[in-house]
Amino acid sequence: MMRLVKKGLMFGNLIEVSSPALVERYNRALKHLIDRETALTGFHIDMSGYSPEIGDEFEDQLYLNPKGCNQMFILLTTDQMKAPLLNSQFSTSRSILRQYIEENEDQLFALTAREAVAGELMNSVFHISSPSDLLHINQIEIEADTIQEHVAEAHQLSEQIDQFMTEDDAWWDDVLIAQMIELAKRTGNIQRNPVTLDNKTYVQGNYYTSHFGGVYIFRDAETPTVIARERVEGLDDLSIEQILTFDDREAIADFLRDEDLSELIVQAPNQSTAAIIKQKLDFITITIAAEQGHDLSGLSRQNIRHLERRFVEDLPEEFHGLMDVWRWASMGGRPPKMRPNHPAFFYCLRSSQHKDRDLVNMLLSDLSRLDFRQLFICHKALFYDAYRSWSESKKDYVSDFLAQEYAMDKVGAREALFGDEPAMEEPEPEPKPKTEFTNPWGKAKVKDGLYKVKPHNKKEDDFRELYKDYRKKNYRKSKKGKRD
């Protein structure tokens, strides 16, 4: 794993903690949260304050996330919001914690200047023993304060000030005045510099969890669905409309289509999308060559074609299916037909633009693991698990490729692979025509008193033709009542 660490592909952007003052603050927070302290004089922490070095020291990589259920955190600086979140058991934890830090950045900056802030992402359950517990996690509440309880004391002082200003006899209450003076010594002038950290609640909607072998939960979908890697005990007892496993490929494809969660990478012949498919072909070729013991050192893109010829009999169905798609995308001709049960099918999809785009791309990377680049971008924990079993030659090649081809321009690579980031604001609705009717060829709009039929969309025709069994050739109603 040291290759990844040295190239910044693992444990990158962690915050270094080396000064005695910060180490002491961290230990006070650690003692407060889990009643333990570290003997290390220097270490690195992620967004939550978790340190891989301390995890090794304690022989517990979940020392800030007991039972993988309620994530605790230690903030020494607001710069932690730029760090990754390691060993998270829920896909939403990073975005929730980052949002909390951003919303309270000014207050946290002032508080961490004198003491560590400790808190917890509290689920509505304290232990996850069966899949049904996952559906009980509806909200995440964050409570945080300094170890010396500056926020709580500031709140107490604020209440005492209100009492002092509103009650007639408060001027003669020596005990109240003495308490206010003592609190003010620790909190400072809260009227000039307010110290507040409001408890914040975040909705836990669609998410992925590593519990029970990996489960994707889409309960905000029109058809609430759970997709698990394997059928574990208790999965069938979930009170949700649809329960699927990775063996239900056709049903997963239908769900992604009907909920408008996915789209084809290649919707019509295009050199840009053909290049994406070609790289997926290269990744599969490299994987097979490595499994056959081929030395990948010094491998260039030109040499990969020689590997395709050499190992053509060993290349899997994923390769041959993607090759048909690549030929059509780059050269035109008749679109290939591919059903969801084909091993290459999910390699041809990516998430459409919506708020759960990262979650859907995570699911798709899980279903197309030979694409190691997409696996690294969308599902790092799964990538690291796979990486440990690779040959040394493949580890060298993949780490070099990711460092040179991806890490140098992460934003550009993600836009090329997954499209532009979804807009944060809802688009303005287009005005509807006064009169319209629907026919098999599209919507006819009234213009100058005449009906004008919307022409065929060649791109949509190719889209339907490419996956004839996935998206029907003729217009039809989906579960949402919209045309596919």
Side-chain angles (χ1 to χ4, degrees), residues 26-48:
Y26 187 90
N27 264 331
R28 286 198 296 268
L30 205 57
K31 181 74 173 177
H32 174 76
L33 290 175
I34 63 172
D35 198 29
R36 297 189 69 174
E37 294 182 351
T38 177
L40 301 178
T41 58
F43 46 87
H44 297 78
I45 59 174
D46 71 353
M47 179 184 288
S48 70

Side-chain angles (χ1 to χ4, degrees), residues 27 30 36-41 43 51-61 63:
N27 264 331
L30 205 57
R36 297 189 69 174
E37 294 182 351
T38 177
L40 301 178
T41 58
F43 46 87
S51 169
E53 297 100 322
I54 297 178
D56 291 338
E57 178 191 13
F58 290 171
E59 296 183 351
D60 180 11
Q61 297 299 332
Y63 70 93

Side-chain angles (χ1 to χ4, degrees), residues 272-285 301 304-305 308 319 322-323 326 373:
S272 296
T273 52
I276 296 175
I277 300 299
K278 183 63 176 70
Q279 284 192 310
K280 292 177 181 286
L281 289 167
D282 293 346
F283 299 152
I284 295 174
T285 302
R301 292 179 178 176
I304 294 178
R305 192 164 186 83
E308 292 176 1
F319 179 90
L322 283 176
M323 180 59 77
W326 175 77
R373 176 180 58 187

Side-chain angles (χ1 to χ4, degrees), residues 374-442:
Q374 181 165 327
L375 196 63
F376 175 78
I377 296 173
C378 302
H379 212 316
K380 283 188 171 54
L382 201 58
F383 172 86
Y384 295 142
D385 287 342
Y387 180 90
R388 293 183 179 93
S389 64
W390 293 346
S391 67
E392 296 300 311
S393 178
K394 184 178 179 181
K395 289 178 180 178
D396 281 334
Y397 179 86
V398 172
S399 60
D400 288 340
F401 176 87
L402 292 175
Q404 297 170 11
E405 300 287 338
Y406 170 67
M408 296 298 292
D409 183 15
K410 295 181 181 180
V411 175
R414 290 180 64 90
E415 287 183 356
L417 294 173
F418 309 121
D420 296 333
E421 293 287 341
M424 298 300 292
E425 298 179 356
E426 293 293 331
E428 292 292 331
E430 295 183 2
K432 294 183 178 180
K434 293 182 179 180
T435 306
E436 62 179 30
F437 67 90
T438 303
N439 59 44
W441 300 276

Side-chain angles (χ1 to χ4, degrees), residues 330-347:
S330 59
M331 306 174 189
R334 185 174 180 81
K337 297 180 177 64
M338 189 184 302
R339 296 181 60 184
N341 58 8
H342 194 289
F345 180 82
F346 289 107
Y347 287 81

Side-chain angles (χ1 to χ4, degrees), residues 435-437 439 444-454:
T435 306
E436 62 179 30
F437 67 90
N439 59 44
K445 299 183 179 181
V446 175
K447 185 176 182 181
D448 299 329
L450 299 174
Y451 288 109
K452 187 174 182 179
V453 177
K454 179 182 177 182

Side-chain angles (χ1 to χ4, degrees), residues 4 31 56 128 134 153 163 175 199 262 283 304 332 480:
L4 301 178
K31 181 74 173 177
D56 291 338
I128 298 177
L134 298 175
E153 289 183 341
Q163 178 184 351
V175 175
N199 293 346
S262 66
F283 299 152
I304 294 178
K480 288 189 175 182

